[in-house]
Amino acid sequence: MLGRAATLHRGVAFSFFQHRFNSFGTTPSIMASNVEIKARVSNIENLKRLASEISGQSGQLIEQEDTFFLCEKGRLKFRKFPNGQGELIFYSRPDQAGPKLSSYHITKVIENADDLIHTLDLSYGIRGVVKKRRYLYLVGQTRVHVDTVDNLGDFMELEVVMKKDQTCEEGEAIAQDLMTKLGIQKTDLITSAYIDMLQRKN
């Protein structure tokens, strides 16, 4: 059971995630929590430069293609990587702005990714596809994502991976400090998922 689920304070959304990884028939439960910020970016090259300076890293490029399927409960997507491998991810969270309590289940797929996507399409139907180029920078316990999303534009995500017994206020302070250093304004913050933004646009 999760304790206090989430709080929203000074424009920063706190999301607590329960995830389970399925590997070779075993399903160990791992409780994890993140403090998250997502924002629209007007100058991605400047953001990448700042993220590189702060992290001391050039940034790891990760290309992702997320295929979302029609699903009566929660969301179901397949994340495909350029090497042909991927992850089948189911997650459930309320459709609301601000704090979100989300649980998800990930199954790693080593081969036959396209066949699996086709099978899921036949069974459920495809809701939409999100393609993005993500640069990942690690700053302490925070994952900094600099994303270019097809047909949407440029965005930034901060994921502060909470440590055991660490308070929400401590996570928020880390996120707020990084947000300031990266030049992100409160007016840049957004709450919607990429797939929802694409569907509203179309």
Side-chain angles (χ1 to χ4, degrees):
M1 296 291 294
L2 288 173
R4 192 184 328 172
T7 58
L8 183 65
H9 184 53
R10 296 195 296 275
V12 180
F14 296 89
S15 299
F16 289 78
F17 297 90
Q18 175 185 359
H19 63 211
R20 297 180 180 180
F21 292 89
N22 188 346
S23 176
F24 304 107
T26 62
T27 55
S29 295
I30 303 173
M31 302 298 293
S33 60
N34 296 331
V35 173
E36 290 192 348
I37 294 176
K38 181 181 288 186
R40 192 174 292 276
V41 174
S42 58
N43 188 335
I44 192 171
E45 293 304 322
N46 184 59
L47 178 61
K48 287 162 63 176
R49 178 183 61 80
L50 290 172
S52 181
E53 290 176 357
I54 294 170
S55 66
Q57 303 163 5
S58 58
Q60 177 188 358
L61 175 60
I62 306 172
E63 295 187 6
Q64 300 175 345
E65 180 177 307
D66 292 348
T67 301
F68 285 79
F69 301 93
L70 298 172
C71 187
E72 291 185 1
K73 182 180 71 174
R75 290 184 174 94
L76 181 66
K77 68 181 179 181
F78 186 88
R79 172 164 290 170
K80 184 179 177 182
F81 301 106
N83 63 3
Q85 298 182 8
E87 298 172 339
L88 182 63
I89 305 169
F90 171 81
Y91 65 101
S92 179
R93 70 181 181 217
D95 293 324
Q96 64 184 44
K100 298 179 181 68
L101 175 64
S102 175
S103 60
Y104 61 90
H105 183 97
I106 299 177
T107 300
K108 295 186 181 297
V109 177
I110 306 301
E111 57 185 10
N112 298 325
D114 289 333
D115 286 342
L116 179 56
I117 291 173
H118 181 59
T119 300
L120 290 167
D121 180 21
L122 292 174
S123 178
Y124 296 103
I126 291 177
R127 178 187 175 191
V129 178
V130 176
K131 297 181 181 180
K132 62 179 176 286
R133 290 168 55 86
R134 165 169 289 176
Y135 283 88
L136 168 65
Y137 305 84
L138 300 177
V139 182
Q141 68 191 84
T142 305
R143 295 170 59 91
V144 179
H145 299 156
V146 180
D147 294 340
T148 297
V149 184
D150 285 9
N151 300 315
L152 275 184
D154 300 327
F155 301 86
M156 181 219 68
E157 289 183 347
L158 296 182
E159 292 183 354
V160 182
V161 181
M162 302 296 286
K163 299 177 181 179
K164 184 179 180 180
D165 299 325
Q166 194 170 30
T167 67
C168 292
E169 289 75 16
E170 289 174 313
E172 180 195 0
I174 294 171
Q176 288 278 11
D177 180 62
L178 266 178
M179 190 174 78
T180 300
K181 291 177 178 177
L182 291 170
I184 301 299
Q185 305 298 317
K186 292 181 180 179
T187 54
D188 299 325
L189 298 179
I190 58 176
T191 58
S192 299
Y194 294 141
I195 184 64
D196 297 329
M197 295 171 67
L198 278 171
Q199 291 204 315
R200 284 198 298 268
K201 181 178 179 181
N202 296 331

